[in-house]
Amino acid sequence: MEANTTNNSRPIIPGIFALNMEDTNWVMTSSFVIFTMQTGFGMLESGCVSVKNEVNIMMKNVVDVALGGLTYWIFGFAMSFGRSPLNNPFTAMGDFMVDPEVTDPLMGPISAAFLFQLSFATTATTIVSGAMAERRERNCWVWGEHGFLNKLGVVDIAGSGPVHLIGGFSSLVSAAMLGPRLGRYSNGLDPLPPGTPVNAVMGLFVLWWGWLGFNSGSTYGVSGAKWEYAARAAVMTMMASFGGGCMGLIYSMWRLGGRLDIMDLINGILGSLVAITAGCFLYRAWESLLIGAVGSAIACFTMPMFDRLGIDDPVGASSVHGMAAIWGVVAVGLFADNPYPLDTTKGRSGLFKGGGWYMLGVQSLSVLCLASWATVTNFIILYLINKVVPIRMDAYEELLGADLVEHYIRHGNAGISRVVSAVRPFPNEAQIDQITIMGQNSGHETYINQTYYGGMREILGPTKVAVDGKTGIGTIGALQTISRDLAPKFAWVD
Amino acid sequence: MEANTTNNSRPIIPGIFALNMEDTNWVMTSSFVIFTMQTGFGMLESGCVSVKNEVNIMMKNVVDVALGGLTYWIFGFAMSFGRSPLNNPFTAMGDFMVDPEVTDPLMGPISAAFLFQLSFATTATTIVSGAMAERRERNCWVWGEHGFLNKLGVVDIAGSGPVHLIGGFSSLVSAAMLGPRLGRYSNGLDPLPPGTPVNAVMGLFVLWWGWLGFNSGSTYGVSGAKWEYAARAAVMTMMASFGGGCMGLIYSMWRLGGRLDIMDLINGILGSLVAITAGCFLYRAWESLLIGAVGSAIACFTMPMFDRLGIDDPVGASSVHGMAAIWGVVAVGLFADNPYPLDTTKGRSGLFKGGGWYMLGVQSLSVLCLASWATVTNFIILYLINKVVPIRMDAYEELLGADLVEHYIRHGNAGISRVVSAVRPFPNEAQIDQITIMGQNSGHETYINQTYYGGMREILGPTKVAVDGKTGIGTIGALQTISRDLAPKFAWVD
Amino acid sequence: MEANTTNNSRPIIPGIFALNMEDTNWVMTSSFVIFTMQTGFGMLESGCVSVKNEVNIMMKNVVDVALGGLTYWIFGFAMSFGRSPLNNPFTAMGDFMVDPEVTDPLMGPISAAFLFQLSFATTATTIVSGAMAERRERNCWVWGEHGFLNKLGVVDIAGSGPVHLIGGFSSLVSAAMLGPRLGRYSNGLDPLPPGTPVNAVMGLFVLWWGWLGFNSGSTYGVSGAKWEYAARAAVMTMMASFGGGCMGLIYSMWRLGGRLDIMDLINGILGSLVAITAGCFLYRAWESLLIGAVGSAIACFTMPMFDRLGIDDPVGASSVHGMAAIWGVVAVGLFADNPYPLDTTKGRSGLFKGGGWYMLGVQSLSVLCLASWATVTNFIILYLINKVVPIRMDAYEELLGADLVEHYIRHGNAGISRVVSAVRPFPNEAQIDQITIMGQNSGHETYINQTYYGGMREILGPTKVAVDGKTGIGTIGALQTISRDLAPKFAWVD
């Protein structure tokens, strides 16, 4: 069934709702794939940070989807793609809390369109979570039919600009305003080691395959010739990642004398994916390889540069999403084919394809507008918020880690006990003292104490028993006596 | 190619096999997505339990798919959707071991239908694995064309009832009959901390996106107007999860004074997804948000309630799947639109949409029937099984953990050595003694002992060397001498 | 839009480019699913090896995709499916660096075809990474229209032979030539325990669902009757895995007296999936169950056999991919239906379906050719490489682990410090000494030292403080004094 747009009485019917059955299936399948990128971002980010913050990062991403999604439903979609006579080149003003009735002839397409844009919006939200408000609503400049950049002919198929550039610049401003983590540069500029590198690489993998849905889905359907360009988008996405991977590999081995730093490779590949996103089906294979390699190099080289400036961006979002996206948006102006019969470039081509300087100019203008917008609004918002509530955690909270402070999850072997010892007293020390170390089962410990060691529980907390049993040593007289008795039973360590 | 049903000579051709090419593609893609929920359940459940049981939970889920899938092929599909003159309102009786020949004109649709139902059945199996037999075969009451609830007009699109309600009540009965874990309530009612919280949140993410396939796929195709409702189902699934996420966040921060318990948020979101499942494309956006929020609140509030009753459900399946599903099935009777032109509600609407009390009555009856069935049969089956083989592990096995007892996998830093010390002697202590701690490489340890420390291996086991080297302390004379010599070499700890 | 092949002026238009919109959508969706198998292989392999090599395995797989993909674009696709008058029964010779212009009427199909083959090629690359060059280019014997095995009528739908058999035999040769890991058989033939079993099982799950895309996608579209066989392929893939899972369960519990070894179950299921791959939509359900069970048994029984021969294959690729694939390719000759109206078997049937001995002969010939090719070329290539650069790491590097040596990632609790102590001196000891243990935050440690303990940092490195604080014991006079002062502050262990 073709969406019957003629029966629709609303003032404006944007192309965003021109989806038939095949298009809708493609857009929905792509959305399902794009949502999996949340799993990827979660694992990548939580794998990159210190172990004592890894759960907090995951929870942040869960909350991003829930709150970010709700906000997008209420405001975001309406201000990007809403149908209203009030739409103007800077914002749309209709379809707040979009909710088509079953009798709406556009119910299906509106639902699919919202789902697809929602999957993009939650991705953008996750890239930088500190500053949500301004980040999603300016994509209407680029993608809304009324948007002033759109009217100038800007081309940004899957959002190097609206998603990654804005996300990356928001990250940059936030990182600069928050200041580096405590002790970040005390041992030099080298990045702190990732807490759970396997999870970080797993996150890269999930993002990589999710990106195929992101870019391929951005043909926004398969009808007409769109399916051919969807296939091209997927191929060029992979080609760019090959270029990015090779560049990341070369950069890391050059920098470290043959050794491979996992963050160089991860961020190199992500940088190449960000770079190809803007023009994913407008390039040929060699060009994609090159665009990916350059995006990767930009991500790799700007990371230590920001560190030298004292801007500490733990997951490298400023470089990977911000800097590589500049190149991604500009590259469209250089390399874009005219994807006949699609109207993506409005018939124009890039500079190297004989299209002259126009596209390059518009693309550069888009970079300028989006980067300025992200920088200025983020600065203002964070500045104002900081006046009300300090945006930076207290030092003792940062040292204890957000997992312990915000979720009462206490990791073992992560140096937390040492921090507890060092920073005392702090406000919630009494509660912290009671928290079982993750992985141990406090119920079982108590059961063993009560069942096998009778009254000992009053004297020894569970972990103390284990420690003393392990070493046969105690610093307090009473403990020493008990642990000497226990010693033969506590012969193993694990 | 439209499935040519007219050539088919079998007695009954249910609508389940009316799938054309587009429908089949949609159903299959959805099935692929639904199967990924197994990854999600595995990671969520293994992340929630104690570390010493995490591998066992994963293996359980693997076995669930293999044995559960085989059983479903032999009995389950036949008794739910089989074609037979013996079909009656309580069971179907055909197509056991479904296996269409290549000459069967329905070969494609039968295969796709079986795959889709199989993906549902394995999901249901995984929700509660303790009691398989009775759980899958009653969905024919609701979904089979012959089913008595189906004939009354019950509506349960993607299975809040047959999948989640039955799964949740089975969990509840099992948890109550098994009794709480040793020492579970010794330190109060607070839940035991999850063993690997990052994995638990990752599992939530995978389930979340998998649920889109679950609910969207439940239009059972895209032909006609089905694609429009598939899109609506996906949007409403996300809307419900936003409501659920916000409710979980509010509940947790209210309960804990601003802190966020990860299980509140995880189970809140899952509860909202369970609640939206029954009527996923029958609601409007606000209603979905509300239904999700209420489902989330039910999941959050019933969890501590069961704990107060002494029912210890480690992963919260009773609340998330059982209690939230009651609301999910009932909500259809309140909010359901008539999804014209689909026949899902047989033209009826919910109470608040002017459809009167009929749907609410039938939905409530469905809740009663399914909950009673799950409760009674589970009780009988577990009672009988317990007479033959005790359904609860021995205390020493529970303390050692299923990973060690059943798979000879020994975790480090999880308190297992302390248990081994405390509960000795137990039957297989001799073997347990030989098991290398996970993450260490016993081959390398032996090689180092033999190559670098010669004859020392007779006196010191590998880990003992490490311990003594680490502390420079030994309780036995011989060890002290050796470790004093080793001390300068063992200056580092990791 | 049907691909308009008549306008094409290139010399040969293989069937590989006969894809319409629906076919392309199916092929692309399948490719997206197949790429997720990289996540599965990464998690499975990194979960199986020692913790001290787990990151290196992940990085290897990232590099495999990037370099392997680039190589496939340059050479692989061209030598398998290229269009050229030089094509001969042993190789294709066209479309190197495939890159269709937007004006190419086959742009869409070529892109989709390349993407699909690329997803297969990267899977094959990952199965054995040691020897890339020869592994992918012989699939043209089987799948290229010009291939000599293809012309004889060999049937290998999703690549038991070209992907798994060649991958497995390459692994076998590599494992035999590398020799067993240090100390591998010092404690008997039992496999070394997996480092992170939860990740290994998660990897199995991801592969399992990815395999559905692998096999279902291999109908190479849905037009005509292909969609019916795509559905059948998915069902038979699941059926085989049920047979394989049950067999792995029985084997493990028989071998270990009721206990379940996780690698038996994992490799049993993978073996069954490898076995069903060659004829995934040519079998009936019972046959699939049987073929899976036999594939599983072969994988399970050949693993200890190779160990008895002293061939140490850490992840079991030789058995799972190599041995089970022999059965998979041969089984086609026994059980294959003629999938009318598809031309897959060129109208032939297997021995047990009345088709006589021809298919069995051709399938067996295919096994012989592919196994010989993989064995001989791998041997020659590794022999030559080893003359130039030793293919085996130095002993001290193997003991330290590739994560530390190649990526400077230092795991805790994995025995690495003990190795560092034992094998000193070694070339890069000075750097290794400086590496923070994973999970700890070196910035925070330094900050605490400087802020809370002032000048102490010169005397004590961060971890040494923690150790001494933990035990209250020091072996050097100066440390003893300091740690006695610290003792009351370092009362907790984590």
Side-chain angles (χ1 to χ4, degrees):
Chain A
M1 184 183 120
E2 189 79 24
N4 183 353
T5 55
T6 57
N7 288 346
N8 193 280
S9 60
R10 298 202 189 177
I12 300 164
I13 305 170
I16 191 178
F17 299 141
L19 294 167
N20 65 14
M21 179 186 80
E22 282 83 8
D23 293 335
T24 299
N25 294 353
W26 185 248
V27 163
M28 287 182 65
T29 305
S30 299
S31 303
F32 297 175
V33 174
I34 295 169
F35 278 118
T36 68
M37 294 176 79
Q38 294 292 336
T39 315
F41 278 117
M43 295 308 275
L44 173 63
E45 293 175 11
S46 85
C48 281
V49 299
S50 298
V51 163
K52 65 184 168 191
N53 294 314
E54 65 177 17
V55 182
N56 181 253
I57 288 272
M58 291 298 273
M59 295 316 284
K60 174 191 78 60
N61 284 13
V62 173
V63 172
D64 280 353
V65 177
L67 289 187
L70 187 61
T71 314
Y72 189 74
W73 175 64
I74 299 175
F75 300 112
F77 185 76
M79 297 174 73
S80 299
F81 302 103
R83 296 164 295 180
S84 160
L86 299 175
N87 281 4
N88 61 62
F90 299 96
T91 193
M93 290 294 287
D95 284 316
F96 289 89
M97 297 176 281
V98 62
D99 187 12
E101 300 175 58
V102 288
T103 53
D104 187 331
L106 288 178
M107 184 270 283
I110 292 174
S111 298
F114 175 69
L115 185 77
F116 188 70
Q117 299 301 336
L118 178 70
S119 71
F120 268 61
T122 51
T123 307
T125 305
T126 298
I127 290 173
V128 56
S129 321
M132 279 184 203
E134 85 302 339
R135 211 162 55 257
R136 288 183 314 280
E137 288 143 27
R138 282 326 100 189
N139 58 22
C140 69
W141 292 354
V142 175
W143 286 334
E145 294 192 350
H146 54 88
F148 76 98
L149 289 171
N150 189 324
K151 288 191 171 164
L152 285 173
V154 79
V155 174
D156 196 339
I157 294 168
S160 283
V163 176
H164 298 285
L165 196 149
I166 290 195
F169 273 83
S170 304
S171 297
L172 182 61
V173 172
S174 308
M177 291 179 75
L178 278 167
R181 285 166 287 174
L182 297 173
R184 166 68 183 89
Y185 299 116
S186 306
N187 303 315
L189 292 173
D190 277 348
L192 300 178
T196 319
V198 164
N199 284 1
V201 186
M202 189 207 136
L204 167 69
F205 275 135
V206 175
L207 286 172
W208 204 339
W209 327 133
W211 225 292
L212 291 169
F214 201 86
N215 285 359
S216 250
S218 291
T219 55
Y220 207 64
V222 290
S223 56
K226 282 184 271 186
W227 64 275
E228 302 180 77
Y229 286 94
R232 198 184 205 213
V235 170
M236 297 314 152
T237 303
M238 290 309 294
M239 291 305 300
S241 72
F242 300 158
C246 294
M247 178 57 76
L249 200 61
I250 292 166
Y251 169 81
S252 194
M253 301 185 92
W254 161 76
R255 182 170 77 88
L256 300 166
R259 201 162 51 75
L260 180 57
D261 183 293
I262 75 159
M263 294 315 296
D264 286 343
L265 191 49
I266 290 176
N267 286 329
I269 289 172
L270 292 178
S272 68
L273 290 166
V274 166
I276 199 69
T277 294
C280 50
F281 59 72
L282 302 177
Y283 307 132
R284 300 193 57 179
W286 271 108
E287 296 158 7
S288 302
L289 205 63
L290 177 69
I291 290 167
V294 172
S296 172
I298 290 172
C300 287
F301 278 102
T302 55
M303 276 194 294
M305 189 190 78
F306 287 132
D307 277 326
R308 271 192 289 275
L309 297 172
I311 298 172
D312 174 27
D313 181 347
V315 296
S318 307
S319 299
V320 166
H321 297 285
M323 299 304 119
I326 297 178
W327 162 243
V329 175
V330 169
V332 174
L334 299 173
F335 295 105
D337 281 326
N338 171 18
Y340 180 82
L342 303 190
D343 192 37
T344 312
T345 64
K346 301 197 166 67
R348 299 192 186 95
S349 304
L351 178 62
F352 299 159
K353 300 288 175 69
W357 296 88
Y358 185 83
M359 279 193 80
L360 189 59
V362 175
Q363 297 297 115
S364 305
L365 179 65
S366 177
V367 167
L368 269 177
C369 293
L370 295 172
S372 310
W373 170 267
T375 307
V376 171
T377 55
N378 260 291
F379 177 80
I380 294 172
I381 289 170
L382 288 177
Y383 182 83
L384 292 177
I385 290 175
N386 196 36
K387 289 281 171 199
V388 185
V389 192
I391 53 176
R392 175 123 185 189
M393 303 172 87
D394 285 332
Y396 82 90
E397 292 188 334
E398 185 176 337
L399 291 171
L400 289 171
D403 286 6
L404 186 59
V405 172
E406 297 187 16
H407 312 298
Y408 281 16
I409 288 171
R410 181 172 189 157
H411 296 273
N413 296 311
I416 292 172
S417 288
R418 189 163 175 261
V419 176
V420 171
S421 304
V423 303
R424 65 174 36 157
F426 51 88
N428 49 352
E429 187 185 339
Q431 293 108 296
I432 298 283
D433 199 1
Q434 302 304 319
I435 299 169
T436 313
I437 290 172
M438 205 179 96
Q440 295 186 342
N441 182 317
S442 52
H444 285 190
E445 291 289 332
T446 308
Y447 178 84
I448 294 169
N449 284 344
Q450 292 174 333
T451 309
Y452 295 90
Y453 301 120
M456 256 178 52
R457 197 188 162 215
E458 268 63 50
I459 317 177
L460 299 171
T463 49
K464 277 176 197 142
V465 169
V467 176
D468 288 286
K470 189 153 67 180
T471 64
I473 292 293
T475 48
I476 309 169
L479 291 188
Q480 247 168 342
T481 320
I482 287 161
S483 55
R484 202 172 299 131
D485 296 338
L486 292 175
K489 291 199 171 176
F490 288 90
W492 296 332
V493 173
D494 61 353
Chain B
M1 184 184 121
E2 190 79 22
N4 184 352
T5 55
T6 56
N7 288 344
N8 193 280
S9 58
R10 297 202 189 176
I12 301 164
I13 304 172
I16 191 180
F17 299 141
L19 295 167
N20 66 13
M21 179 186 80
E22 283 83 7
D23 294 335
T24 299
N25 293 353
W26 185 248
V27 163
M28 286 182 65
T29 305
S30 300
S31 303
F32 296 175
V33 174
I34 295 169
F35 277 118
T36 67
M37 294 177 78
Q38 293 293 335
T39 315
F41 278 117
M43 295 307 276
L44 174 62
E45 294 174 11
S46 86
C48 282
V49 299
S50 299
V51 162
K52 64 184 168 190
N53 294 314
E54 65 177 19
V55 182
N56 182 253
I57 288 272
M58 291 297 272
M59 296 315 284
K60 174 192 79 60
N61 284 13
V62 173
V63 172
D64 280 353
V65 178
L67 288 188
L70 188 61
T71 313
Y72 190 73
W73 173 63
I74 299 176
F75 299 112
F77 185 76
M79 296 175 74
S80 299
F81 302 104
R83 297 164 294 179
S84 159
L86 299 176
N87 282 2
N88 62 62
F90 298 97
T91 192
M93 290 294 287
D95 284 318
F96 290 89
M97 296 176 282
V98 62
D99 187 13
E101 299 176 58
V102 287
T103 53
D104 188 330
L106 288 178
M107 184 270 283
I110 292 174
S111 297
F114 175 69
L115 185 76
F116 187 69
Q117 299 300 337
L118 178 69
S119 72
F120 268 62
T122 52
T123 307
T125 305
T126 298
I127 290 173
V128 56
S129 320
M132 279 185 201
E134 84 302 340
R135 212 165 50 259
R136 290 184 312 279
E137 286 143 26
R138 281 327 97 189
N139 58 21
C140 69
W141 292 354
V142 175
W143 286 335
E145 294 193 349
H146 54 88
F148 77 97
L149 290 170
N150 189 324
K151 288 191 171 164
L152 286 173
V154 78
V155 174
D156 196 340
I157 295 168
S160 283
V163 175
H164 298 285
L165 196 149
I166 290 194
F169 273 83
S170 303
S171 297
L172 182 60
V173 172
S174 308
M177 291 180 76
L178 278 166
R181 286 166 286 175
L182 297 173
R184 166 68 183 88
Y185 298 117
S186 305
N187 302 316
L189 292 174
D190 276 348
L192 300 179
T196 320
V198 165
N199 285 1
V201 187
M202 188 207 137
L204 167 69
F205 275 136
V206 175
L207 286 172
W208 204 339
W209 326 133
W211 224 292
L212 291 168
F214 201 86
N215 285 358
S216 250
S218 291
T219 55
Y220 207 64
V222 288
S223 55
K226 282 184 270 187
W227 64 274
E228 301 180 78
Y229 286 94
R232 197 183 206 217
V235 170
M236 297 313 153
T237 303
M238 290 308 294
M239 290 305 300
S241 72
F242 300 158
C246 295
M247 178 58 75
L249 200 62
I250 293 166
Y251 169 81
S252 194
M253 300 186 92
W254 160 76
R255 181 170 77 87
L256 300 166
R259 201 162 52 76
L260 180 56
D261 183 293
I262 75 158
M263 294 315 296
D264 287 342
L265 190 49
I266 290 177
N267 286 329
I269 290 173
L270 292 178
S272 69
L273 290 166
V274 167
I276 199 69
T277 294
C280 50
F281 58 71
L282 303 178
Y283 307 132
R284 300 193 58 179
W286 272 107
E287 295 159 7
S288 302
L289 206 62
L290 177 69
I291 289 167
V294 172
S296 172
I298 290 173
C300 287
F301 279 100
T302 55
M303 275 193 294
M305 189 191 79
F306 287 131
D307 277 327
R308 271 191 288 274
L309 296 172
I311 298 172
D312 174 27
D313 181 347
V315 297
S318 308
S319 300
V320 166
H321 297 286
M323 299 303 120
I326 296 178
W327 163 244
V329 175
V330 170
V332 174
L334 299 172
F335 296 104
D337 282 325
N338 171 17
Y340 180 82
L342 302 191
D343 192 38
T344 312
T345 64
K346 302 198 166 65
R348 299 193 185 94
S349 304
L351 178 63
F352 298 158
K353 300 288 175 68
W357 297 87
Y358 185 84
M359 278 193 81
L360 188 59
V362 175
Q363 298 297 115
S364 305
L365 179 66
S366 177
V367 168
L368 269 177
C369 294
L370 295 172
S372 310
W373 170 267
T375 306
V376 172
T377 55
N378 260 290
F379 177 81
I380 294 172
I381 288 170
L382 288 177
Y383 182 84
L384 292 177
I385 290 174
N386 196 36
K387 288 282 171 198
V388 184
V389 192
I391 54 176
R392 175 120 185 192
M393 302 173 86
D394 285 331
Y396 82 90
E397 291 188 335
E398 185 177 335
L399 292 171
L400 290 171
D403 286 7
L404 186 57
V405 172
E406 297 187 15
H407 312 298
Y408 281 16
I409 288 171
R410 182 173 188 155
H411 296 273
N413 297 311
I416 291 171
S417 289
R418 190 165 174 260
V419 176
V420 170
S421 304
V423 304
R424 65 176 34 159
F426 51 88
N428 50 351
E429 189 183 339
Q431 293 107 297
I432 298 283
D433 200 359
Q434 302 304 318
I435 299 170
T436 313
I437 290 172
M438 206 180 97
Q440 296 186 341
N441 182 317
S442 52
H444 286 191
E445 291 289 332
T446 309
Y447 178 83
I448 294 169
N449 284 344
Q450 292 173 334
T451 309
Y452 295 90
Y453 301 120
M456 257 178 49
R457 199 187 159 214
E458 266 64 51
I459 316 176
L460 299 171
T463 48
K464 279 179 195 138
V465 170
V467 175
D468 288 288
K470 188 154 70 178
T471 63
I473 291 293
T475 48
I476 310 168
L479 291 188
Q480 249 169 340
T481 319
I482 287 161
S483 54
R484 202 171 299 132
D485 297 338
L486 292 175
K489 289 198 171 176
F490 289 90
W492 296 333
V493 173
D494 61 352
Chain C
M1 184 183 120
E2 190 80 24
N4 184 352
T5 55
T6 55
N7 288 346
N8 193 281
S9 59
R10 297 203 189 175
I12 300 165
I13 304 171
I16 191 179
F17 299 140
L19 295 168
N20 66 14
M21 179 186 81
E22 282 83 7
D23 294 336
T24 299
N25 293 353
W26 185 249
V27 162
M28 286 181 66
T29 305
S30 301
S31 302
F32 296 175
V33 174
I34 294 169
F35 278 118
T36 68
M37 295 176 78
Q38 294 292 335
T39 315
F41 277 117
M43 295 308 276
L44 173 62
E45 293 174 12
S46 86
C48 281
V49 298
S50 298
V51 163
K52 65 184 167 188
N53 294 313
E54 66 177 17
V55 182
N56 181 253
I57 288 272
M58 291 298 271
M59 296 315 285
K60 174 192 78 61
N61 285 13
V62 173
V63 172
D64 280 353
V65 177
L67 288 188
L70 187 61
T71 313
Y72 189 74
W73 174 63
I74 300 176
F75 299 112
F77 185 76
M79 296 174 73
S80 299
F81 302 104
R83 297 164 294 178
S84 160
L86 299 176
N87 281 4
N88 61 61
F90 299 96
T91 193
M93 290 294 288
D95 284 316
F96 290 89
M97 296 176 282
V98 62
D99 187 11
E101 300 175 57
V102 287
T103 52
D104 189 330
L106 288 178
M107 184 271 283
I110 292 174
S111 298
F114 175 68
L115 185 77
F116 188 69
Q117 299 300 336
L118 178 69
S119 72
F120 267 62
T122 51
T123 307
T125 305
T126 299
I127 290 173
V128 55
S129 321
M132 279 184 201
E134 84 301 340
R135 212 164 52 258
R136 290 183 313 278
E137 287 143 26
R138 281 327 98 189
N139 58 22
C140 69
W141 292 355
V142 175
W143 286 334
E145 295 193 348
H146 54 87
F148 76 98
L149 289 170
N150 189 323
K151 288 191 172 165
L152 286 173
V154 78
V155 173
D156 197 339
I157 295 168
S160 284
V163 175
H164 298 285
L165 196 149
I166 290 194
F169 273 83
S170 304
S171 297
L172 183 60
V173 172
S174 308
M177 291 179 76
L178 279 165
R181 285 167 286 175
L182 297 173
R184 166 66 183 91
Y185 298 117
S186 305
N187 302 316
L189 292 174
D190 276 348
L192 300 179
T196 320
V198 165
N199 284 1
V201 187
M202 188 207 137
L204 167 68
F205 275 136
V206 176
L207 286 173
W208 204 339
W209 327 132
W211 225 292
L212 292 168
F214 201 86
N215 285 359
S216 249
S218 291
T219 55
Y220 207 64
V222 289
S223 55
K226 281 184 270 187
W227 64 275
E228 301 180 78
Y229 286 94
R232 197 184 206 214
V235 170
M236 296 314 152
T237 303
M238 290 308 294
M239 290 306 299
S241 72
F242 299 158
C246 293
M247 177 58 76
L249 201 61
I250 293 166
Y251 169 81
S252 194
M253 300 186 92
W254 160 77
R255 181 170 77 88
L256 299 167
R259 202 163 51 76
L260 180 57
D261 183 294
I262 75 159
M263 295 314 297
D264 287 342
L265 190 50
I266 290 176
N267 285 329
I269 289 173
L270 291 177
S272 69
L273 290 166
V274 167
I276 199 69
T277 294
C280 50
F281 59 72
L282 302 178
Y283 308 132
R284 299 192 58 177
W286 271 109
E287 295 158 7
S288 302
L289 205 63
L290 177 69
I291 289 167
V294 172
S296 172
I298 290 172
C300 287
F301 278 102
T302 56
M303 276 193 294
M305 189 190 78
F306 286 132
D307 277 326
R308 271 192 287 275
L309 295 172
I311 298 172
D312 174 27
D313 180 347
V315 297
S318 307
S319 300
V320 165
H321 297 286
M323 298 304 119
I326 296 179
W327 163 245
V329 175
V330 169
V332 174
L334 299 172
F335 295 104
D337 280 326
N338 171 18
Y340 180 82
L342 303 191
D343 192 37
T344 312
T345 64
K346 303 198 166 64
R348 298 192 185 94
S349 304
L351 178 62
F352 298 159
K353 300 288 174 68
W357 296 87
Y358 185 83
M359 279 192 80
L360 189 59
V362 175
Q363 297 297 115
S364 305
L365 179 65
S366 177
V367 168
L368 268 177
C369 293
L370 296 172
S372 310
W373 171 267
T375 307
V376 171
T377 55
N378 260 291
F379 178 80
I380 294 172
I381 289 169
L382 288 177
Y383 182 83
L384 293 176
I385 290 175
N386 196 37
K387 289 282 172 199
V388 185
V389 191
I391 54 176
R392 174 121 185 192
M393 304 172 85
D394 284 331
Y396 83 90
E397 291 188 335
E398 185 177 336
L399 291 171
L400 289 171
D403 286 7
L404 187 58
V405 172
E406 297 187 16
H407 312 297
Y408 281 15
I409 288 172
R410 182 173 188 156
H411 296 272
N413 296 311
I416 292 171
S417 288
R418 189 164 176 260
V419 175
V420 171
S421 303
V423 303
R424 64 175 35 157
F426 52 91
N428 50 351
E429 189 183 337
Q431 293 107 297
I432 298 284
D433 199 1
Q434 302 303 318
I435 299 169
T436 313
I437 289 172
M438 206 179 97
Q440 296 186 342
N441 182 318
S442 51
H444 286 190
E445 291 289 332
T446 308
Y447 178 84
I448 294 169
N449 285 344
Q450 292 173 334
T451 309
Y452 294 89
Y453 301 119
M456 257 177 49
R457 198 185 161 217
E458 268 62 52
I459 318 177
L460 298 171
T463 48
K464 279 179 195 137
V465 170
V467 175
D468 289 289
K470 188 152 69 180
T471 64
I473 291 294
T475 48
I476 310 169
L479 291 188
Q480 247 169 343
T481 319
I482 287 161
S483 54
R484 201 171 300 132
D485 297 338
L486 292 175
K489 291 198 171 177
F490 287 90
W492 296 332
V493 172
D494 61 352

